[in-house]
């Protein structure tokens, strides 16, 4: 009878770690584990009940490197948690609802992924999202600084060109800023670039690697088509077409959904691909190289997206841009001009 009660308490603690009526002495969210649960990393998703958060949570539950998955949002997390917890994979899933449970959601995490915020709607730019999402990111990062200051933080919330500087300023004010551990997720730009280029070349997208540098909005997204693998040359018309489509990929989806949402599914896929790279880096795997928007000295700007090598400390090496052609050099100057404004906007939001 006692063992049965313990099992009931264990299950309750997984789904309701802060409110379970069956909590027993010595059994808490911190030490509760499923029998046979996989060894691995503890990951939190902040904004887990949203359009990106739900598919992102599902895909992270499938990752064998994840042992504990915390799902946080201000609404609807109990249902999402119950749903995803039924998947027969190794990660233990726990849900957290509302600001009062944010600290519990973050304590002890190795990786925190933040898709929280409102999505884009037709006619809305990423910059239009700023005043709503900036406050959300600021609050969440204050929680991270307090509860898991050593975690790797992946920022998805748009506009990334501003929300990453916001996160950096929050961490600086808390005395926890480590530039190696803060990464803006620009992987969707790379995913789109690989897909669109593969379509033109008639290749499998998984065989294509297009570096995308700069930022994560409009002209700040700069695909370096001169550096693609496998090596290939493009006509000026092809270069213009591909660059424009990659830069406007988000708008393409927003318009196609006609008010019903933004690029949630492809973003979730890209976010999980990047999070998986971070986890492999944390594990100590060699040569984990991806593009990300990070604190950087590649240009005169404090933040810039370029190829980085991921490791146990997060970003362990930032690669230079390499040789650019004339089209890319012109694009770089346009990108930097707009990026400078977006970065300053984020810094100013925290300092005001």
């Amino acid at each position: 009878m006692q063992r049965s009660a313990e099992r009931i308490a264990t299950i309750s603690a997984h789904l309701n770690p802060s409110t379970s009526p069956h909590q027993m002495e010595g059994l808490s969210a911190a030490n509760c584990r499923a029998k046979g649960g996989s060894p691995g990393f503890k990951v939190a998703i902040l904004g887990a009940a949203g359009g990106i958060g739900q598919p992102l949570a599902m895909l992270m539950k499938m990752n064998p490197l994840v042992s504990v998955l915390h799902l946080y949002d201000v609404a609807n997390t109990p249902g999402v948690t119950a749903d995803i917890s039924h998947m027969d994979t190794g990660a233990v899933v726990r849900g957290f609802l509302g600001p009062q449970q944010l600290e519990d959601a973050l304590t002890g995490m190795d990786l925190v992924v933040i898709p929280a915020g409102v999505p884009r709607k037709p006619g809305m730019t990423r910059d239009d999202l700023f005043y709503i999402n900036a406050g959300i990111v600021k609050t969440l990062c204050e929680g991270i600084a307090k509860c898991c200051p050593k975690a790797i933080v992946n920022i998805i919330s748009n506009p990334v060109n501003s929300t990453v500087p916001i996160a950096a300023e929050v961490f600086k004010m808390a005395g926890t800023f480590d530039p190696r551990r803060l990464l803006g997720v620009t992987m969707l730009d790379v995913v789109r670039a690989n897909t669109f280029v593969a379509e033109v070349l008639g290749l499998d997208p998984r065989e294509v690697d297009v570096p995308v540098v700069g930022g994560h909005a409009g002209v700040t997204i700069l695909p370096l088509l001169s550096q693609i693998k496998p090596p290939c040359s493009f006509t000026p018309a092809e270069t213009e077409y591909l660059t424009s489509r990659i830069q406007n990929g988000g708008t393409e989806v927003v318009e196609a959904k006609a008010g019903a949402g933004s690029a949630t599914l492809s973003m979730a896929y890209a976010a999980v691909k990047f999070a998986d790279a971070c986890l492999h880096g944390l594990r100590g795997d060699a040569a984990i190289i991806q593009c990300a928007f990070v604190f950087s000295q590649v240009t005169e700007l404090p933040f810039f997206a370029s190829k980085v090598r991921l490791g146990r400390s997060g970003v362990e090496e930032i690669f230079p841009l390499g040789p650019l052609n004339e089209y890319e050099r012109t694009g770089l100057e346009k990108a930097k001009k707009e990026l400078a404004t977006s970065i300053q906007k984020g810094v100013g939001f925290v300092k005001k």
Side-chain angles (χ1 to χ4, degrees):
M1 194 70 182
Q2 183 178 357
R3 293 185 64 184
S4 176
E6 288 175 356
R7 285 198 297 271
I8 291 172
T10 298
I11 294 167
S12 298
H14 288 328
L15 293 179
N16 303 290
S18 297
T19 60
S20 172
H22 303 289
Q23 289 275 347
M24 302 175 66
E25 186 176 354
L27 180 63
S28 67
N31 61 28
C32 183
R33 293 290 183 275
K35 186 176 181 181
S38 63
F41 297 101
K42 299 177 181 179
V43 178
I45 299 174
L46 309 184
I52 297 170
Q54 291 196 40
L56 170 56
M58 182 185 73
L59 293 170
M60 288 304 295
K61 178 72 164 76
M62 297 167 64
N63 191 311
L65 295 181
V66 179
S67 61
V68 175
L69 182 61
H70 282 191
L71 306 181
Y72 170 85
D73 214 319
V74 294
N76 302 323
T77 37
V80 175
T81 303
D83 197 356
I84 288 176
S85 71
H86 292 180
M87 296 169 60
D88 59 348
T89 61
V92 174
V93 182
R94 304 190 186 107
F96 301 83
L97 180 63
Q100 69 278 8
Q101 293 190 357
L102 177 60
E103 292 186 9
D104 289 337
L106 290 170
T107 300
M109 293 297 103
D110 300 304
L111 173 67
V112 179
V113 185
I114 308 180
V118 298
R120 289 176 68 193
K121 297 177 181 178
M124 181 184 279
T125 67
R126 286 185 175 87
D127 198 55
D128 293 332
L129 303 178
F130 176 80
Y131 289 105
I132 300 172
N133 290 354
I136 294 172
V137 170
K138 180 175 180 289
T139 298
L140 296 176
C141 288
E142 288 169 348
I144 292 169
K146 180 178 179 180
C147 300
C148 55
K150 299 296 185 182
I152 306 295
V153 180
N154 290 355
I155 303 283
I156 299 170
S157 308
N158 277 317
V160 167
N161 295 350
S162 297
T163 54
V164 171
I166 287 171
E169 290 302 312
V170 170
F171 296 150
K172 287 176 185 177
M173 291 175 68
T176 65
F177 179 54
D178 183 344
R180 300 171 300 173
R181 298 179 183 274
L182 175 61
L183 304 97
V185 180
T186 60
M187 178 64 81
L188 182 53
D189 302 321
V190 176
V191 166
R192 286 173 173 151
N194 292 344
T195 300
F196 301 160
V197 167
E199 288 176 359
V200 170
L201 298 179
L203 297 174
D204 185 328
R206 294 169 293 183
E207 298 172 355
V208 177
D209 180 22
V210 183
V212 182
V213 303
H216 183 57
V219 299
T220 70
I221 300 168
L222 182 60
L224 301 183
L225 297 174
S226 67
Q227 297 182 24
I228 76 161
K229 296 177 182 177
C232 181
S233 60
F234 297 97
T235 66
E238 288 171 334
T239 299
E240 181 63 37
Y241 163 76
L242 286 168
T243 300
S244 177
R245 191 175 179 204
I246 293 163
Q247 290 176 339
N248 295 294
T251 301
E252 181 178 317
V253 176
V254 169
E255 292 178 350
K257 288 191 174 182
S262 59
T264 54
L265 302 177
S266 54
M267 182 65 250
Y269 165 81
V272 167
K273 189 173 182 180
F274 186 74
D276 182 67
C278 290
L279 294 176
H280 278 277
L282 282 171
R283 191 173 69 173
D285 292 10
I288 306 299
I289 298 172
Q290 297 292 350
C291 292
F293 186 65
V294 298
F295 187 80
S296 170
Q297 295 181 332
V298 166
T299 70
E300 66 273 20
L301 299 174
F303 295 91
F304 197 81
S306 62
K307 282 197 169 186
V308 302
R309 180 171 59 82
L310 301 169
R312 294 188 187 276
S313 301
V315 176
E316 296 197 339
E317 183 178 3
I318 301 175
F319 296 97
L321 296 181
L324 307 181
N325 61 30
E326 183 178 351
Y327 182 89
E328 292 162 351
R329 288 193 295 271
T330 300
L332 177 61
E333 293 308 310
K334 291 178 182 177
K336 289 195 296 184
K337 183 177 180 180
E338 186 162 320
L339 261 178
T341 301
S342 299
I343 292 169
Q344 186 52 48
K345 191 171 185 178
V347 172
F349 177 81
V350 179
K351 290 186 173 181
K352 69 180 180 181

